[in-house]
Amino acid sequence: MGPLLGALVMLADLAANWWIQWDAVLADPVAYLRPAGLSAITAFGVFVIVTALPLYRVLLPRRGMTASDPGARA
């Protein structure tokens, strides 16, 4: 559940950051195109959210496998 929880936390963080900065973004939108601050955290947040589901699927144990199986994941 870690990747999904991380994506949820990141989504909440992004929403809070954009909520707080919204008036400043509307006042000077070009200032937020720099690769620092809000744009950087937004890019990282999108990365976390996009990769959460594939990562979650990879980390799921396979059906029919137990810890004693030789091919089981650690």
Side-chain angles (χ1 to χ4, degrees), residues 14-65:
L14 284 174
N17 283 318
W18 276 95
W19 180 274
I20 297 297
Q21 294 293 325
W22 186 246
D23 290 334
V25 170
L26 289 179
D28 189 14
V30 177
Y32 288 92
L33 295 177
R34 293 174 298 190
L38 192 58
S39 62
I41 201 159
T42 301
F44 179 68
V46 169
F47 170 75
V48 169
I49 292 167
V50 167
T51 59
L53 190 57
L55 184 58
Y56 173 73
R57 288 180 180 162
V58 167
L59 294 175
L60 281 177
R62 294 184 183 172
R63 288 187 178 173
M65 294 185 79

